Amino acid sequence: MKDLIMGYATNCKFDDFYRFVASTRQHCEPDKVDIVVFINALGDEFAKVALEKNITLIPVENVWKWVNSSKILNLIYHAKMVGLQALIRLTSGSNRTYLEEDYRSTVANWIHPLAGRWITYHTFLKVNSSYRMVMTSDVRDVVFQASPFDDLDSSKLHVFEEAGIYFGPPTPENVDSEWVNAV
């Protein structure tokens, strides 16, 4: 059974994306680890590298930036969500299931990607559940130095903390981003 690494890379710079996928594939062979990156349309170079490195790209759109900056779009999204909630309360059976999925999709696309990614990951895993271990990761500022699955017990949940312990308290200079840029 294979392991899975999932990342969310909307509006990601190509150099950050490349560093992530190249370092991941350097330490995680395709026959042992699937790598899935949820990404908006950013250009052919992303698709080319994904093909070369055996990375699966899944298109995802998030309208948070546009809705957040427009009162009219914000109003439209709020109205859709309130309307869907009302219909869900009044409906049963397969129609209710469809409305619930539409509501989840609307919320996932409307909220900030930092929160919406979890809905996207959950939706993916509902139809792709046959993995031994699953890791979620940032893409922009992550460099793999080894397989994250080595020496881990697959029957347990593993949670890791970033910054604070190794780099000291957070600073305006964002220490980990400086380190990643130096790699």
Side-chain angles (χ1 to χ4, degrees):
M1 191 177 279
K2 292 172 82 171
D3 296 320
L4 171 66
I5 297 173
M6 291 189 292
Y8 201 89
T10 54
N11 302 319
C12 185
K13 295 178 186 169
F14 178 75
D15 291 345
D16 296 335
F17 173 80
Y18 183 83
R19 183 174 44 239
F20 174 82
V21 299
S23 69
T24 307
R25 268 299 170 234
Q26 182 179 355
H27 301 288
C28 301
E29 298 174 16
D31 61 325
K32 295 181 181 177
V33 179
D34 285 340
I35 301 168
V36 174
V37 178
F38 298 89
I39 192 166
N40 55 330
L42 295 172
D44 291 340
E45 67 264 15
F46 289 83
K48 182 179 176 191
V49 168
L51 190 60
E52 290 171 3
K53 302 289 184 186
N54 198 13
I55 309 289
T56 301
L57 299 182
I58 297 183
V60 64
E61 292 298 327
N62 186 285
V63 297
W64 176 83
K65 186 189 326 181
W66 297 280
V67 170
N68 194 44
S69 63
S70 167
K71 287 184 181 184
I72 192 87
L73 284 176
N74 206 340
L75 180 63
I76 291 168
Y77 260 82
H78 274 288
K80 180 179 180 184
M81 289 187 288
V82 168
L84 284 169
Q85 287 174 330
L87 288 171
I88 288 167
R89 283 192 295 274
L90 298 171
T91 310
S92 62
S94 63
N95 288 335
R96 182 185 179 112
T97 302
Y98 171 76
L99 290 168
E100 288 170 342
E101 288 298 319
D102 189 17
Y103 180 79
R104 283 176 52 90
S105 176
T106 301
V107 170
N109 289 330
W110 176 72
I111 60 178
H112 193 282
L114 287 174
R117 71 178 64 195
W118 301 107
I119 297 171
T120 302
Y121 293 157
H122 181 255
T123 301
F124 177 83
L125 289 170
K126 283 186 349 185
V127 295
N128 297 280
S129 60
S130 62
Y131 287 102
R132 186 182 72 95
M133 297 182 82
V134 176
M135 175 187 174
T136 61
S137 175
D138 288 341
V139 172
R140 180 188 59 83
D141 59 355
V142 173
V143 176
F144 283 82
Q145 299 175 352
S147 171
F149 304 108
D150 291 348
D151 303 319
L152 293 181
D153 182 347
S154 65
S155 67
K156 295 182 179 176
L157 173 66
H158 301 274
V159 180
F160 302 93
E161 182 178 26
E162 175 189 1
I165 295 173
Y166 301 106
F167 299 114
T171 64
E173 293 81 30
N174 198 349
V175 173
D176 63 336
S177 291
E178 287 182 16
W179 178 83
V180 167
N181 287 334
V183 171

